[in-house]
Amino acid sequence: MSISFDTLPRLLQERILILDGAMGTMIQRHRLAEEDFRGARFADHPHPLRGNNDLLVLTQPELIRDIHRAYLEAGADLIETNTFNANAISQADYGLEHLVYELNVAAARLAREVADEFTRRTPERPRFVAGAIGPTNKTLSISPDVNNPAYRAVTFDEMVAVYREQVRGLLDGGVDVLLVETVFDTLNCKAALFAIQEEFRARGRAVPVMVSGTIVDQSGRTLSGQTPEAFWISIAHMPHLLSVGLNCALGSGQMRPFIKELARVATVFTSLYPNAGLPDELGQYRETPEYMAAQLADYAREGWLNLAGGCCGTTPEHIRTIAEALEGFPPRRIPEVPRTLRLSGLEPLVFRPDLNFVNIGERTNV
């Protein structure tokens, strides 16, 4: 079902929209065995496939449809495709990198089918599909070899090619928006955004783009060391950028200072979909739907949110409770930010009128 480019931005100005919750958490509830992941098609595949959740769009499509339906029935306006690891780098662990395009097309079509089903029921409330693009299991900014800080396991150009293949599949499958999420390394994110731009240019058309970073601990920084404001400045140039936000890593109650900072500076919509707390010693997430909903309602009351949902450990019940708690709160208004030079390394450097002399040393010429 075709939805016009400006429909989502218009709705985001009217109300806080609801994202879905965790896909992996819902899949784990089914306690799938190796043969469930394999299905008939991959019965003789030489590598173990248990845990490759992205493959389920081919081997267990009805299970994925049911998860999408559960989140839409709970009140989600946007559902994410089951493609967090549907890229050549991540799929290489299973010997399935040749399936990346097919996985993304299939996942997008599954989500599209279910979203359209709900849109037909209530045309006045359209549902949207976000093409989920994860960070891969490699990083461009940090060496995996402690004895060789200059070493990188992958190049920027290789990462761009990996992301572009995924983007191509998601767009051909019919997503409404692209979501670059769980960004722990801003350089990985930049590769994804460049790949998206290149694909848009090749097609002569674009869809809105959402970006969501992850703060790894209470220090308030991404894994590559940036603060939320520095992260925003690093990606603010991206055309067609619909939103910037935070997801994963921390529980809802720990997100306050970070979403506050982002809401203050971002000149696009903001999103927040935290974990249901931090996992305990058994790997369980303990934040209840009521607790998470209360935290997000507090942030909405402060005027910091345009989109809200859940990440690891969240379920349809979390999303239903969050949707009910946020109903009636006005969405965040995008602030008028003075035009000035804004740079970022690990921290922001904003050239305000009262800024003193800035010495740019020759060692910055790298």
Side-chain angles (χ1 to χ4, degrees), residues 28 30 44 57 111 124 126 137 171 189 215 232-233 281 283 302 315 328 337 346:
Q28 287 169 14
H30 291 270
D44 298 323
V57 300
E124 72 284 357
N137 55 19
L171 292 174
C189 178
I215 301 297
W232 156 245
I233 292 171
E281 62 277 5
E302 296 282 358
T315 65
V337 177
L346 299 185

Side-chain angles (χ1 to χ4, degrees), residues 218 250-257 274-275 277 287 291-292 295 299:
Q218 288 299 123
L250 302 176
S252 58
Q254 297 163 302
M255 288 288 198
R256 168 176 281 272
N275 288 351
E287 282 192 8
Y291 178 83
M292 284 194 75
Q295 301 304 310
Y299 304 157

